[in-house]
Amino acid sequence: MKYRKKFLGILTKYYNKLAADPYNEGNNAYNSGAASGDVNTYKIKVKEAQKLYEKAKVNFEKTLEYDPND
């Protein structure tokens, strides 16, 4: 039982790390689009950010699958 908890901790840390990278990239894309002042650039950056958020969402869901309390 003690090894299971340790293993789940390692798994959740791994999936959170995998999710954090595209999530942060998505935030950067969104912020750069908002700061550009151009509507077309903003729309392109928002779509780019949404794709990155979807990547992050998959890994965050895996984290919840292995440890719903994390």
Side-chain angles (χ1 to χ4, degrees), residues 29-49:
Y30 180 80
N31 290 335
S32 70
S36 72
D38 181 37
V39 174
N40 292 327
T41 303
Y42 176 73
K43 288 179 182 179
I44 291 168
K45 291 296 185 176
V46 166
K47 286 182 183 180
E48 184 181 316

Side-chain angles (χ1 to χ4, degrees), residues 45-60:
K45 291 296 185 176
V46 166
K47 286 182 183 180
E48 184 181 316
Q50 286 173 338
K51 289 178 186 175
L52 290 165
Y53 290 148
E54 283 299 316
K55 280 183 175 178
K57 181 181 173 186
V58 169
N59 289 314
F60 281 134

Side-chain angles (χ1 to χ4, degrees), residues 7-20 55-70:
F7 180 71
L8 289 177
I10 292 169
L11 273 178
T12 57
K13 184 177 180 181
Y14 172 74
Y15 283 118
N16 280 336
K17 171 69 174 128
L18 282 179
K55 280 183 175 178
K57 181 181 173 186
V58 169
N59 289 314
F60 281 134
E61 287 173 345
K62 286 183 183 179
T63 298
L64 290 174
E65 180 181 317
Y66 289 114
D67 189 4
N69 296 325
D70 190 14

